[in-house]
PDB file of all heavy atoms in Angstrom:
ATOM      1  N   GLU A1499     -55.775 -70.915 -44.468  1.00 97.00           N
ATOM      2  CA  GLU A1499     -56.211 -71.766 -43.369  1.00 97.00           C
ATOM      3  C   GLU A1499     -55.672 -71.182 -42.046  1.00 97.00           C
ATOM      4  O   GLU A1499     -54.510 -70.827 -42.013  1.00 97.00           O
ATOM      5  CB  GLU A1499     -55.733 -73.196 -43.533  1.00 97.00           C
ATOM      6  CG  GLU A1499     -56.268 -73.918 -44.782  1.00 97.00           C
ATOM      7  CD  GLU A1499     -57.770 -74.190 -44.671  1.00 97.00           C
ATOM      8  OE1 GLU A1499     -58.282 -74.343 -43.561  1.00 97.00           O
ATOM      9  OE2 GLU A1499     -58.397 -74.216 -45.768  1.00 97.00           O
ATOM     10  N   PRO A1500     -56.501 -71.184 -41.000  1.00 97.00           N
ATOM     11  CA  PRO A1500     -56.018 -70.642 -39.734  1.00 97.00           C
ATOM     12  C   PRO A1500     -55.003 -71.590 -39.060  1.00 97.00           C
ATOM     13  O   PRO A1500     -55.102 -72.812 -39.193  1.00 97.00           O
ATOM     14  CB  PRO A1500     -57.278 -70.528 -38.884  1.00 97.00           C
ATOM     15  CG  PRO A1500     -58.236 -71.495 -39.480  1.00 97.00           C
ATOM     16  CD  PRO A1500     -57.884 -71.629 -40.925  1.00 97.00           C
ATOM     17  N   TYR A1501     -54.017 -70.999 -38.383  1.00 96.00           N
ATOM     18  CA  TYR A1501     -53.113 -71.803 -37.513  1.00 96.00           C
ATOM     19  C   TYR A1501     -52.867 -71.047 -36.231  1.00 96.00           C
ATOM     20  O   TYR A1501     -53.082 -69.824 -36.148  1.00 96.00           O
ATOM     21  CB  TYR A1501     -51.803 -72.124 -38.232  1.00 96.00           C
ATOM     22  CG  TYR A1501     -50.904 -70.939 -38.505  1.00 96.00           C
ATOM     23  CD1 TYR A1501     -50.004 -70.513 -37.542  1.00 96.00           C
ATOM     24  CD2 TYR A1501     -50.887 -70.315 -39.765  1.00 96.00           C
ATOM     25  CE1 TYR A1501     -49.159 -69.427 -37.784  1.00 96.00           C
ATOM     26  CE2 TYR A1501     -50.057 -69.239 -40.023  1.00 96.00           C
ATOM     27  CZ  TYR A1501     -49.184 -68.797 -39.015  1.00 96.00           C
ATOM     28  OH  TYR A1501     -48.362 -67.748 -39.238  1.00 96.00           O
ATOM     29  N   ILE A1502     -52.412 -71.752 -35.229  1.00 92.00           N
ATOM     30  CA  ILE A1502     -52.067 -71.157 -33.966  1.00 92.00           C
ATOM     31  C   ILE A1502     -50.630 -71.595 -33.630  1.00 92.00           C
ATOM     32  O   ILE A1502     -50.289 -72.764 -33.744  1.00 92.00           O
ATOM     33  CB  ILE A1502     -53.015 -71.660 -32.829  1.00 92.00           C
ATOM     34  CG1 ILE A1502     -54.448 -71.283 -33.165  1.00 92.00           C
ATOM     35  CG2 ILE A1502     -52.609 -71.030 -31.507  1.00 92.00           C
ATOM     36  CD1 ILE A1502     -55.477 -71.956 -32.267  1.00 92.00           C
ATOM     37  N   TRP A1503     -49.800 -70.613 -33.287  1.00 89.00           N
ATOM     38  CA  TRP A1503     -48.409 -70.921 -32.915  1.00 89.00           C
ATOM     39  C   TRP A1503     -48.200 -70.505 -31.479  1.00 89.00           C
ATOM     40  O   TRP A1503     -48.526 -69.370 -31.085  1.00 89.00           O
ATOM     41  CB  TRP A1503     -47.476 -70.084 -33.840  1.00 89.00           C
ATOM     42  CG  TRP A1503     -46.086 -70.649 -33.913  1.00 89.00           C
ATOM     43  CD1 TRP A1503     -45.260 -70.931 -32.855  1.00 89.00           C
ATOM     44  CD2 TRP A1503     -45.351 -70.987 -35.087  1.00 89.00           C
ATOM     45  NE1 TRP A1503     -44.047 -71.416 -33.303  1.00 89.00           N
ATOM     46  CE2 TRP A1503     -44.098 -71.445 -34.669  1.00 89.00           C
ATOM     47  CE3 TRP A1503     -45.644 -70.928 -36.458  1.00 89.00           C
ATOM     48  CZ2 TRP A1503     -43.116 -71.881 -35.576  1.00 89.00           C
ATOM     49  CZ3 TRP A1503     -44.649 -71.330 -37.364  1.00 89.00           C
ATOM     50  CH2 TRP A1503     -43.420 -71.795 -36.927  1.00 89.00           C
ATOM     51  N   ILE A1504     -47.711 -71.464 -30.654  1.00 85.00           N
ATOM     52  CA  ILE A1504     -47.449 -71.156 -29.236  1.00 85.00           C
ATOM     53  C   ILE A1504     -46.152 -70.319 -29.188  1.00 85.00           C
ATOM     54  O   ILE A1504     -45.125 -70.767 -29.649  1.00 85.00           O
ATOM     55  CB  ILE A1504     -47.279 -72.456 -28.392  1.00 85.00           C
ATOM     56  CG1 ILE A1504     -48.579 -73.262 -28.462  1.00 85.00           C
ATOM     57  CG2 ILE A1504     -46.896 -72.095 -26.951  1.00 85.00           C
ATOM     58  CD1 ILE A1504     -48.524 -74.597 -27.765  1.00 85.00           C
ATOM     59  N   GLY A1505     -46.269 -69.112 -28.684  1.00 74.00           N
ATOM     60  CA  GLY A1505     -45.163 -68.156 -28.707  1.00 74.00           C
ATOM     61  C   GLY A1505     -44.112 -68.464 -27.692  1.00 74.00           C
ATOM     62  O   GLY A1505     -44.354 -69.145 -26.706  1.00 74.00           O
ATOM     63  N   ALA A1506     -42.899 -67.983 -27.955  1.00 65.00           N
ATOM     64  CA  ALA A1506     -41.816 -68.212 -27.044  1.00 65.00           C
ATOM     65  C   ALA A1506     -41.795 -67.188 -25.900  1.00 65.00           C
ATOM     66  O   ALA A1506     -41.262 -67.459 -24.838  1.00 65.00           O
ATOM     67  CB  ALA A1506     -40.472 -68.118 -27.793  1.00 65.00           C
ATOM     68  N   GLN A1507     -42.382 -66.034 -26.138  1.00 63.00           N
ATOM     69  CA  GLN A1507     -42.346 -64.976 -25.121  1.00 63.00           C
ATOM     70  C   GLN A1507     -43.421 -65.160 -24.065  1.00 63.00           C
ATOM     71  O   GLN A1507     -44.559 -65.464 -24.373  1.00 63.00           O
ATOM     72  CB  GLN A1507     -42.529 -63.591 -25.777  1.00 63.00           C
ATOM     73  CG  GLN A1507     -41.414 -63.231 -26.726  1.00 63.00           C
ATOM     74  CD  GLN A1507     -40.051 -63.268 -26.040  1.00 63.00           C
ATOM     75  OE1 GLN A1507     -39.894 -62.744 -24.951  1.00 63.00           O
ATOM     76  NE2 GLN A1507     -39.073 -63.888 -26.688  1.00 63.00           N
ATOM     77  N   ARG A1508     -43.045 -65.068 -22.821  1.00 65.00           N
ATOM     78  CA  ARG A1508     -44.014 -65.170 -21.740  1.00 65.00           C
ATOM     79  C   ARG A1508     -43.801 -64.016 -20.794  1.00 65.00           C
ATOM     80  O   ARG A1508     -42.703 -63.563 -20.596  1.00 65.00           O
ATOM     81  CB  ARG A1508     -43.765 -66.444 -20.974  1.00 65.00           C
ATOM     82  CG  ARG A1508     -43.789 -67.659 -21.818  1.00 65.00           C
ATOM     83  CD  ARG A1508     -44.559 -68.756 -21.165  1.00 65.00           C
ATOM     84  NE  ARG A1508     -44.490 -69.957 -21.982  1.00 65.00           N
ATOM     85  CZ  ARG A1508     -43.858 -71.036 -21.581  1.00 65.00           C
ATOM     86  NH1 ARG A1508     -43.322 -71.070 -20.387  1.00 65.00           N
ATOM     87  NH2 ARG A1508     -43.826 -72.099 -22.345  1.00 65.00           N
ATOM     88  N   SER A1509     -44.892 -63.559 -20.202  1.00 68.00           N
ATOM     89  CA  SER A1509     -44.733 -62.622 -19.102  1.00 68.00           C
ATOM     90  C   SER A1509     -44.436 -63.428 -17.852  1.00 68.00           C
ATOM     91  O   SER A1509     -44.870 -64.575 -17.725  1.00 68.00           O
ATOM     92  CB  SER A1509     -46.016 -61.828 -18.943  1.00 68.00           C
ATOM     93  OG  SER A1509     -47.124 -62.653 -19.045  1.00 68.00           O
ATOM     94  N   GLU A1510     -43.695 -62.863 -16.968  1.00 74.00           N
ATOM     95  CA  GLU A1510     -43.313 -63.643 -15.763  1.00 74.00           C
ATOM     96  C   GLU A1510     -43.029 -62.685 -14.610  1.00 74.00           C
ATOM     97  O   GLU A1510     -42.724 -61.515 -14.834  1.00 74.00           O
ATOM     98  CB  GLU A1510     -42.151 -64.527 -16.005  1.00 74.00           C
ATOM     99  CG  GLU A1510     -40.913 -63.787 -16.537  1.00 74.00           C
ATOM    100  CD  GLU A1510     -40.092 -64.709 -17.447  1.00 74.00           C
ATOM    101  OE1 GLU A1510     -40.110 -65.907 -17.257  1.00 74.00           O
ATOM    102  OE2 GLU A1510     -39.418 -64.178 -18.304  1.00 74.00           O
TER     103      GLU A1510
END
Side-chain angles (χ1 to χ4, degrees):
E1499 297 292 332
Y1501 68 84
I1502 302 169
W1503 200 307
I1504 299 175
Q1507 294 304 313
R1508 304 224 185 114
S1509 42
E1510 55 210 333

